[in-house]
Amino acid sequence: MTQTHENQPHLTQPVDEQSARALSEKGLRLALVDTTDDAAFDEWLHADSRGFLGGRDSAEALTESRELLRDRRTTAVYDDVIPSSASPVGTVNSWVAPLTVPGGATVPAWAISSVTVAPTHRRRGVATALLGSELRVAHALGVPVAILTVSESVIYGRWGFGPATFATEWRVDTKRVRWTGPATVGRLSFTDPADYREDGNAVLDRVMAGRAGEIAMTPYLAERLMGPRKGMPEAEKYRLVRYDSPAGEPEGFVSYLAKDTDDFTKHTIEVNYLAAATDEALTALWRFLLELDLVAQVHVTTRGLDEPLPYLVSDIRGARVTGVEDHLWVRILDVPAALTTRRYEHDGELVLDVADDLGFTGGRYRLTVSGGQATVETTTDDPDVSLTVNALGSVYLGHDAARGLSVAGKVTGDAAALDRLFRTATPPRLSTWF
Ligand SMILES: CC(C)(COP(=O)(O)OP(=O)(O)OC[C@H]1O[C@@H](n2cnc3c(N)ncnc32)[C@H](O)[C@@H]1OP(=O)(O)O)[C@@H](O)C(=O)NCCC(=O)NCCS
């Protein structure tokens, strides 16, 4: 595959001078990786995998990763003094992802992934240089928000990110619950990723456009949701079931694998991804999972806070939420651009005083919402609400965070008015990792 940089300024923007200088003072070198140079890219991919405690990828897996990840801005930190200097000691990649916001529009979001620092070089400010560089490059390109999903929730607050969507994990005791949901319609059938790719992508596009917090798919993400990546453990066990409406329209799928237990009648189903563009698809796919023979438990992650499962089964406690976790973190880089892209469910006016330690978008703004549409202007008027840029990120997609942030002292002033304006009836959700 040849790489074209046309209309992809995220690939051509040079490395950030400030971070390059800071690293150079520590004897380290910040560089963009040429993702058409297979050897250099493979070293970067190995370092990324090592950072997350993974193994060395097979040649087949590397080929797939190179194909699917070439279009990301791929940054490395090198320690040129060490013998294995071709292997980065720091990694990050990024791309501009359309992020669905309340009302259904999308805002360009600087999606950051693969943040790793070699354990031999930890806590020397490498991640600080990488994150600073990502945010400054995004800001210089006029991208109004940055987003990431995180391995640990303690890391990213210092760079102005706030948790903006929460994800639920479910364990369903399928020997205990009975389906009490509506009659299910449509057609279910087994397929495989190669045959299903086009329809699956169309389903994913609808799912991602349908909820604030979801991001547009890239080929890499879509491949992961429809089936296992090459070289993943138990790849041969993955199954893909498609749902088509009574009219034959592709509207959903579930990708899953069955795990053995010591009782053959009690397998556990690990759901890789459940995609449902309509309620009919959602109910049909849930019912399929809950009624599988030789299965005792269904385990699903990254569902929304409003997953309707308890209303679809005979015994609510047989379908337990076993985890609720912060999932998508949002960092606002341009308050007016971010706030005017989303829609609001109530009209109103607020003067917001936003504190941004990194200096990207702090200031005082009058937000006026009329007919659900916002205008934002800078003002010197007294604020109604003072908050950190992290807190603004946390309420931006409609999540129910204003009251908690007010109790914690991270929002001061009229938190109820902030809540009324920003919160949405349907909670935001991100159903994938990136
Ligand atoms: C997380 C990680 C990238 C941090 O890299 P690093 O270069 O050691 O971080 P820095 O030296 O720039 O540290 C910056 C600050 O964050 C803190 N910090 C960094 N990682 C932290 C962690 N995991 N837990 C708590 N604090 C952390 C540091 O203590 C430091 O705090 P200070 O500024 O108050 O001194 C690195 O530990 C790593 O690769 N972890 C494994 C992979 C991973 O989890 N990546 C994150 C993916 S979302």
Side-chain angles (χ1 to χ4, degrees), residues 8 22 69 94 138 166 241 287 315 322 340 366 396 404:
Q8 300 207 72
L69 294 170
S94 47
F166 281 70
V241 169
R287 184 173 192 172
D315 183 346
T322 47
T340 51
R366 177 180 300 281
Y396 175 57

Side-chain angles (χ1 to χ4, degrees), residues 5-285:
H5 287 177
E6 224 175 294
N7 298 324
Q8 300 207 72
H10 74 288
L11 294 177
T12 49
Q13 185 77 2
V15 292
D16 172 64
E17 284 297 324
Q18 188 177 328
S19 288
R21 234 185 349 265
L23 287 166
S24 154
E25 281 162 14
K26 299 172 204 281
L28 303 172
R29 180 168 56 88
L30 181 67
L32 285 179
V33 176
D34 175 0
T35 56
T36 62
D37 174 343
D38 289 356
F41 196 14
D42 284 355
E43 289 291 351
W44 185 96
L45 291 164
H46 281 312
D48 175 27
S49 173
R50 183 186 61 200
F52 291 105
L53 308 183
R56 276 183 86 80
D57 281 335
S58 65
E60 194 190 23
L62 284 171
T63 304
E64 186 188 69
S65 295
R66 274 192 247 111
E67 287 299 315
L68 295 172
L69 294 170
R70 270 197 211 289
D71 282 351
R72 293 192 184 180
R73 178 184 175 87
T74 304
T75 303
V77 177
Y78 296 100
D79 183 341
D80 292 324
V81 174
I82 58 176
S84 59
S85 59
S87 170
V89 297
T91 64
V92 63
N93 67 15
S94 47
W95 72 103
V96 181
L99 166 68
T100 305
V101 294
T106 59
V107 70
W110 191 262
I112 301 173
S113 184
S114 293
V115 177
T116 76
V117 173
T120 48
H121 287 65
R122 69 193 283 281
R123 307 301 183 265
R124 297 187 204 170
V126 175
T128 302
L130 288 173
L131 261 293
S133 139
E134 289 300 313
L135 295 180
R136 280 187 291 276
V137 169
H139 188 248
L141 293 174
V143 178
V145 306
I147 54 175
L148 34 75
T149 55
V150 307
S151 59
E152 290 189 88
S153 56
V154 288
I155 301 174
Y156 294 100
R158 71 192 73 237
W159 294 296
F161 288 85
T165 76
F166 281 70
T168 51
E169 175 189 27
W170 295 78
R171 284 188 192 276
V172 187
D173 178 345
T174 60
K175 300 283 187 199
R176 177 169 166 178
V177 301
R178 231 177 351 93
W179 181 258
T180 55
T184 46
V185 296
R187 193 178 64 236
L188 295 168
S189 55
F190 282 97
T191 182
D192 66 66
D195 294 336
Y196 186 60
R197 193 160 285 126
E198 192 176 324
D199 286 345
N201 279 322
V203 168
L204 286 171
D205 286 347
R206 285 178 67 183
V207 170
M208 301 309 166
R211 180 71 77 105
E214 301 279 11
I215 59 167
M217 286 288 99
T218 62
Y220 176 80
L221 297 175
E223 287 291 308
R224 264 201 336 203
L225 301 186
M226 280 186 257
R229 291 277 329 283
K230 293 240 175 344
M232 274 176 60
E234 303 188 283
E236 74 291 349
K237 284 190 151 189
Y238 278 67
R239 295 283 176 260
L240 182 61
V241 169
R242 62 184 290 163
Y243 169 85
D244 298 286
S245 74
E249 195 62 33
E251 290 185 349
F253 67 84
V254 61
S255 156
Y256 68 92
L257 70 163
K259 297 260 189 191
D260 302 333
T261 63
D262 51 15
D263 182 339
F264 193 71
T265 66
K266 292 184 177 165
H267 285 73
T268 293
I269 296 296
E270 292 290 343
V271 174
N272 174 45
Y273 192 69
L274 171 59
T278 59
D279 289 349
E280 288 76 16
L282 185 67
T283 49
L285 289 165

